[in-house]
Amino acid sequence: MAERITTDDVAKVAHLARLALTPDELETFTGQLAEILEHAEDIAALDLAAVEPMARPVPLVNVFRADEPGEPLDRDEVLACAPVAEDGQFRVPPVLGEAP
Amino acid sequence: MSPFSDALSIAASVRRGERSATEVLEEHLGRIAEREPEIHAFNLVTDGPARATAAAVDAAVAAGEDPGPLAGVPVAIKDNLCTRGVPTTCSSRILEGWRPPYDATVVQRLAAAGAVAVGKTNLDEFAMGSSTENSAFGPTRNPHDTSRVPGGSSGGSAAAVAAGFAPVSLGSDTGGSIRQPAALCGVVGVKPTYGLVSRLGLVAFGSSLDQVGPFAHTVADAALVCEVVGGHDPGDSTSLPGAFPSVSEHLSDGVAGLRVGIVTELMGEGVAPDVAARVRAAADALAGAGATVEEVSVPAVTFGLSAYYLVAPAEASSNLARYDGVRFGNRVDAATTGEMMTATRTAGFGDEVKRRIMLGTFVLSAGYYDAFYGTALKVRTLMRQDFDTAYESYDVLLSPTSPTTAFAFGAKTADPMTMYLNDICTIPTNLAGHAAMSVPFGTGDDGLPVGVQVLAPALGEVPMFRTAAVLEAAAHAEGGAA
């Protein structure tokens, strides 16, 4: 199916997934992911050229609700779930540059 | 047979005013006080709100109103189902302390039916696991033998029913997370057809695989809970139209004339001989009750594990991207938003969750998408086709639920692949979007419960429950004779 997953591959996906790994964790996870992906080699050997992919079991498409006003979630209750909220908004640390 | 009252009898006596909901609740809270320290089925026991709910049910009965089909029935709720104002953790540090601003549809429907929620049950973190050993708050113990796991991921919900903490509970099943713990704890567990039960308010793991369902001591209780919580929900775009099939009225129909196939591929390698023997005994019981029983090959099931451990992590990696320390859950502070997100996720997720997020991210990444994720989606089609072929000749299929009885703590934690192999019998149903349930059917050589799995096509709940009811009666007859 593909070449064995490397520590570089795992370091890359960890970064994409916003996870920091210690060197030991990187080694351990790489070995474990390799084992799982090796098990999946059995399906790589199947002839699936004529088979359609199935992303979901229910054939419903474009399900929309009626465009009628309803009762939304309470804003204060929603903001109360956030680690930090301010002036009716979620507050995060600086995205670019230094804090003002 | 269970020493505990079933939900139907409790609701009947509460509705008739013979027992108060309060008295029923106190009996269950008493058992929780006695055995919960040893079992750890719950992340949170909501005894205060439960007492208020029970009092409201009693007031309704006193006023001549009908509180509903689950009047005064204590229920336990898996802690990945949202409960408004009540902490919902998914057994993860990242959501510790989070109080959802809304109730899951299934939670609302239980409440509307008169049920009394007694607590939130433990699970493998974000429902990823087969033993509850991945819970950030410590494992749940199997009530039948506390040196053994209860199964997972809905281990707390299974153990809560088995220990008599509640006659029924709710779990969620992405690859077997209701059926496998039901088997290991000796209770009934149902994974309904995908789309029959609302996922609104179920914290998403694998959105195309997840389905909510009940645990119960009896098939009739499980049927009732399905009918109460199931049916169309406009808030879930994958919800099927219509009500949950009326299964309760068919429980005494028997299986005469029903065609039952034993899945050959799920009876051989990897399945303990004593477990396979119980499945054959179940098949004999069905044949004795008038069903036609034969072996049938469903070749694609042998590829289920491979496809599942690509599809489920792929969906999980996407679903769990929302835990970034911004809108809910916990945050680890850092100088920039990017560093804050990494610090939050690194501290908040356990190893199994990290493993699956990275696996999913990898199989969805450029250069690997077609080879891994794309291939797995095609195997789902194969799975559906092979099941469809089998269901042309059979109404239901039979297999073990779990390849073994409950295993010891630590037995499978060192190697993730060993743990994943627990799910070989249950995964194919989720990939196909079909229905399946586990029914207790005696014990293995170690004296621990064995579950027999009844599989059915999409919307095949009626023949599935008819079969389960006959198996339940046969197991009781066998137990009584022993």
Side-chain angles (χ1 to χ4, degrees):
Chain A
M1 181 177 272
E3 286 171 24
R4 190 180 166 92
I5 191 169
T6 64
T7 49
D8 283 353
D9 294 328
V10 176
K12 186 184 166 198
V13 294
H15 170 69
L16 291 173
R18 300 296 180 265
L19 294 169
L21 302 182
T22 65
D24 281 354
E25 286 174 332
L26 184 61
E27 287 294 330
T28 307
F29 280 127
T30 302
Q32 291 169 339
L33 295 192
E35 192 191 349
I36 298 163
L37 291 168
E38 267 160 35
H39 186 275
E41 294 287 337
D42 60 351
I43 62 173
L46 296 170
D47 179 8
L48 298 166
V51 179
E52 288 294 316
M54 170 178 153
R56 59 193 69 81
V58 173
L60 301 168
V61 285
N62 295 346
V63 177
F64 297 116
R65 67 166 173 81
D67 187 17
E68 289 158 3
E71 191 64 32
L73 295 178
D74 182 80
R75 185 162 94 165
D76 290 340
E77 215 175 332
V78 170
L79 286 170
C81 298
V84 188
E86 198 177 299
D87 297 336
Q89 299 171 65
F90 300 112
R91 185 178 171 92
V92 296
V95 176
L96 298 168
E98 299 294 310
Chain B
M1 232 187 264
S2 158
F4 307 115
S5 307
D6 60 290
L8 275 165
S9 342
I10 290 171
S13 56
V14 168
R15 286 165 116 176
R16 285 195 300 259
E18 294 163 6
R19 294 188 75 189
S20 73
T22 299
E23 177 193 335
V24 171
L25 174 66
E26 293 303 331
E27 180 191 315
H28 287 83
L29 290 177
R31 277 200 289 269
I32 291 171
E34 197 177 312
R35 236 191 140 193
E36 169 63 6
E38 173 192 26
I39 303 296
H40 187 221
F42 291 101
N43 285 338
L44 180 69
V45 176
T46 50
D47 48 341
R51 287 191 169 105
T53 309
V57 168
D58 289 333
V61 172
E65 296 159 20
D66 180 5
L70 290 173
V73 174
V75 295
I77 312 278
K78 189 177 183 181
D79 204 15
N80 62 349
L81 287 162
C82 290
T83 41
R84 185 171 187 173
V86 176
T88 299
T89 69
C90 296
S91 289
S92 180
R93 294 281 177 211
I94 211 161
L95 277 180
E96 198 172 6
W98 179 54
R99 294 168 187 265
Y102 65 102
D103 278 324
T105 299
V106 292
V107 169
Q108 275 179 1
R109 288 182 181 178
L110 282 178
V116 177
V118 295
K120 304 296 294 286
T121 60
N122 195 17
L123 62 150
D124 287 294
E125 184 175 3
F126 284 103
M128 298 177 190
S130 309
S131 67
T132 71
E133 289 169 289
N134 294 334
S135 167
F137 309 127
T140 297
R141 297 183 175 277
N142 192 315
H144 293 272
D145 176 348
T146 52
S147 72
R148 309 290 181 113
V149 302
S153 68
S154 313
S157 287
V161 171
F165 298 164
V168 290
S169 63
L170 287 184
S172 65
D173 190 315
T174 307
S177 282
I178 292 172
R179 291 160 287 160
Q180 185 257 14
L184 271 45
C185 288
V187 298
V188 176
V190 184
K191 200 295 275 185
T193 297
Y194 184 85
L196 273 182
V197 180
S198 169
R199 293 186 298 110
L200 177 66
L202 167 66
V203 176
F205 161 14
S207 304
S208 78
L209 305 159
D210 297 339
Q211 195 63 186
V212 175
F215 293 88
H217 286 294
T218 68
V219 171
D221 279 1
L224 173 63
V225 175
C226 283
E227 289 163 353
V228 166
V229 301
H232 183 66
D233 176 11
D236 173 0
S237 63
T238 58
S239 169
L240 294 168
F244 196 94
S246 301
V247 284
S248 294
E249 65 189 54
H250 290 288
L251 294 179
S252 351
D253 285 3
V255 291
L258 221 60
R259 302 161 304 167
V260 178
I262 306 172
V263 183
T264 308
E265 287 81 0
L266 299 180
M267 292 293 284
E269 195 190 343
V271 175
D274 56 335
V275 171
R278 293 310 301 158
V279 178
R280 299 210 182 276
D284 290 345
L286 294 173
T292 316
V293 183
E294 293 170 350
E295 287 239 354
V296 56
S297 174
V298 187
V301 302
T302 57
F303 301 113
L305 196 67
S306 292
Y308 178 84
Y309 278 99
L310 299 176
V311 172
E315 295 188 8
S317 70
S318 176
N319 275 324
L320 272 65
R322 64 175 59 107
Y323 304 104
D324 57 8
V326 176
R327 290 161 296 157
F328 35 69
N330 293 314
R331 169 184 296 188
V332 175
D333 271 320
T336 67
T337 291
E339 288 164 18
M340 177 279 286
M341 288 177 175
T342 300
T344 295
R345 291 166 62 80
T346 300
F349 292 136
D351 282 352
E352 182 62 27
V353 174
K354 288 177 181 171
R355 191 151 41 235
R356 296 203 198 186
I357 287 174
M358 289 191 286
L359 181 59
T361 306
F362 180 70
V363 304
L364 290 176
S365 62
Y368 299 101
Y369 183 98
D370 286 337
F372 290 112
Y373 184 64
T375 302
L377 294 188
K378 289 182 172 187
V379 172
R380 291 188 80 171
T381 304
L382 277 193
M383 189 75 68
R384 172 71 71 83
Q385 288 170 348
D386 281 4
F387 271 127
D388 284 348
T389 303
Y391 287 126
E392 282 171 20
S393 308
Y394 300 94
D395 298 296
V396 296
L397 301 176
L398 219 57
S399 82
T401 304
S402 167
T404 65
T405 56
F407 45 93
F409 288 96
K412 303 187 182 196
T413 45
D415 174 32
M417 207 62 221
T418 310
M419 186 68 87
Y420 297 171
L421 284 165
N422 270 295
D423 305 334
I424 50 170
C425 302
T426 46
I427 276 172
T429 296
N430 300 80
L431 288 170
H434 287 169
M437 64 192 286
S438 183
V439 185
F441 203 77
T443 55
D445 292 346
D446 53 9
L448 291 170
V450 170
V452 168
Q453 183 177 222
V454 183
L455 302 92
L459 303 178
E461 268 78 6
V462 169
M464 179 176 84
F465 271 95
R466 283 172 59 191
T467 308
V470 169
L471 289 179
E472 177 179 60
H476 288 168
E478 199 182 55

